[in-house]
Amino acid sequence: MLNKLAAFDDPERVMYPRRHRPQPLRRSPLVGGTPVTEEIAMGLRRVVFGHSNAPSRSEWLRTAIVFREPDADLSYGLRLPRNGTRSLLAAVQAHVIKHLIFPPPPPRPHPKVPGAALRALRPSAEKQQEALWQSLADIIWRAGERARGIVCLSPCATTGGEGAPSYVAQSSVYFQDGVTERLRIFEFHVKEDLEIFLKCYAYIFQEDPGPGALLLLYSAVLSRGLDEVRTDLGEERFSLLSAVSPNAPTPSGPTSNQLSNDKKPKFPGGLPPTAVMPTDSSAEEGPECIVALALTGRATPYLHNGVIYVGDENTYARPRYGIPCRSEVGFLVWRGDADDAAAAAMASSAPSSASAPPEDGRHPGSRLKTPSLPVWVTFCGGHYGVVFNTNRELLRDYHAERRFDLYYYSGGHTGNHTLLSVDTRFAGGGGGGGIFGMMMDDSYQNGNKPSKSNLGDINGAPPLEHLIHTKWRDAQVTWNGTIPHV
């Protein structure tokens, strides 16, 4: 015994720390909750998919919320498959980045550590889980107007989900999808309780393949309320995932408003299974109203500020409800040349001109363009992504916006992380920046003044540069040696 104590007192003895082995995540079995009823199951299917008597979209039944490998490059990133779930997953990704690089300030201020934000983008498995359940709690709690949060969970295969009971039988008005009829519903009225619950059961959202994205969407919809989501969608959309206007021609010919009540076709489960629903331009990777639900708590298809009234001398003005308040995470949209034409028309019109382009609600207002934190969900070139800056004060100090960097994460199977440099000091000079600005610089260096044709090439800038110009007009964008992409 004395020899062992003497060995510890030996000053030349080298003590090696034990190698830390990450503990496997605990998976508590799912217990409790209220079984879903037929009314709620059919309501969820109709609000989300537009019908309850036809199969649900397969990608929502097999897409989970999955992180990349921890403690590595891109370990902050989620896998963003290019299917209909990408819009929701991009919003989750933006929240995850927010929690990683902008944690709540400590009670006592402490000196800033250089490079801390960049190191936070290489989180451990524990940090990944913490950022995930905090992000889920934010989305669900905001949808419940910060007064309640409802979580919909379905048992996983790893916890006996294959033998889980089905609470809704298949019938002529309900087609089983293996998830909705097995839901258990949990309701919370204190956010801390919601966070503790999600911390225990976040693994259910991550079971791959599994319906993690659908469970989150169901939770946000029930937290908001089925009737409230229908009100948010208004007349522009029939459901979250299928766009149709009541005044648009139906597959059978006449519009729904042109038919009298006794002549309208009645389908108890929603639309007939053979109905072809028209979709919007972003339907391939999910509609923008899902992004609005995740960011603002309202499933509105309109992205403008506040409420606008639309009508003419022949009809009553009808309200269009947009974004109610400044968002914590922003949303930038560029749909193509039509957006550039609208922006040019807006810029060329005088402030007192009465012929300014009407607000159609398709373009984000300042409440989405200028969020509280420099993190944005992006939609351009038909694809969703996320751009962010690690300086919390970027949008609070105009000096910081003169020259700064933006990180762009596009997800995908292999992932893509791009550093862009944005310079707004010469805004207004017409420079497009990036590789197109380099073309103009080469012309000057060769002693040639850029021709109008060279200036016109700026209109063909990469979609991501056009997107950045919707926030910082005429800013110069440098790709830092990266091939432009979306």
Side-chain angles (χ1 to χ4, degrees), residues 49-247:
F49 298 103
H51 52 70
S52 63
N53 59 345
S56 304
R57 296 188 181 182
S58 59
E59 67 265 24
W60 286 91
L61 303 177
R62 52 179 171 81
T63 302
I65 305 175
V66 182
F67 272 103
R68 301 187 182 277
E69 291 297 323
D71 297 310
D73 294 335
L74 299 178
S75 57
Y76 70 91
L78 300 174
R79 295 179 184 175
L80 305 180
R82 291 197 168 180
N83 58 33
T85 66
R86 189 180 175 100
S87 59
L88 178 61
L89 293 180
V92 177
Q93 177 68 82
H95 281 85
V96 167
I97 292 173
K98 178 197 74 172
H99 282 286
L100 287 176
I101 63 178
F102 301 123
R108 295 181 179 179
H110 57 80
K112 293 184 178 180
V113 180
L118 293 180
R119 285 194 294 272
L121 296 178
R122 296 171 58 94
S124 62
E126 182 180 358
K127 289 293 185 180
Q128 286 179 336
Q129 298 303 310
E130 180 180 358
L132 177 60
W133 59 258
Q134 288 177 338
S135 301
L136 300 179
D138 281 353
I139 293 173
I140 294 172
W141 190 251
R142 188 180 297 109
E145 296 184 344
R146 295 179 172 85
R148 68 168 184 174
I150 297 179
V151 183
C152 299
L153 295 181
S154 182
C156 298
T158 56
T159 57
E162 294 180 352
S166 175
Y167 305 111
V168 182
Q170 184 156 310
S171 63
S172 60
V173 296
Y174 183 82
F175 188 95
Q176 291 184 338
D177 59 15
V179 176
T180 311
E181 63 274 1
R182 296 182 177 182
L183 291 177
R184 298 182 191 175
I185 300 175
F186 303 82
E187 184 169 355
F188 303 90
H189 295 276
V190 179
K191 188 179 181 181
E192 288 74 15
D193 295 340
L194 173 64
E195 292 176 337
I196 293 173
F197 179 82
L198 289 173
K199 184 177 181 179
C200 293
Y201 295 108
Y203 72 89
I204 295 182
F205 296 91
Q206 299 175 274
E207 188 69 21
D208 187 30
L214 180 60
L215 295 178
L216 175 58
L217 182 57
Y218 277 170
S219 300
V221 167
L222 279 190
S223 298
R224 175 64 177 155
L226 294 175
D227 293 336
E228 286 74 11
V229 171
R230 294 189 185 99
T231 302
D232 292 341
L233 295 175
E235 296 183 354
E236 290 292 320
R237 303 188 65 88
F238 182 82
S239 68
L240 285 172
L241 297 178
S242 57
V244 64
S245 170
N247 296 320

Side-chain angles (χ1 to χ4, degrees), residues 270-352:
L271 292 177
T274 56
V276 179
M277 298 303 302
T279 57
D280 59 11
S281 59
S282 59
E284 182 179 351
E285 295 189 357
E288 296 161 6
C289 60
I290 290 183
V291 178
L293 175 62
L295 299 185
T296 69
R298 287 191 179 184
T300 174
Y302 307 113
L303 305 179
H304 57 74
N305 293 347
V307 184
I308 62 174
Y309 292 86
V310 180
D312 52 32
E313 62 275 8
N314 299 323
T315 60
Y316 289 104
R318 294 175 296 178
R320 286 183 176 179
Y321 297 95
I323 306 303
C325 60
R326 187 182 186 187
S327 176
E328 194 173 35
V329 174
F331 189 25
L332 299 177
V333 176
W334 183 77
R335 297 182 179 84
D337 295 336
D339 282 5
D340 286 344
M346 182 70 74
S348 62
S349 61
S352 60

Side-chain angles (χ1 to χ4, degrees), residues 353-365:
S353 174
S355 60
E359 176 62 69
D360 59 1
R362 298 173 67 247
H363 303 90

Side-chain angles (χ1 to χ4, degrees), residues 24 84 88 380 390 401 429:
L88 178 61
C380 65
T390 58
E401 285 191 90

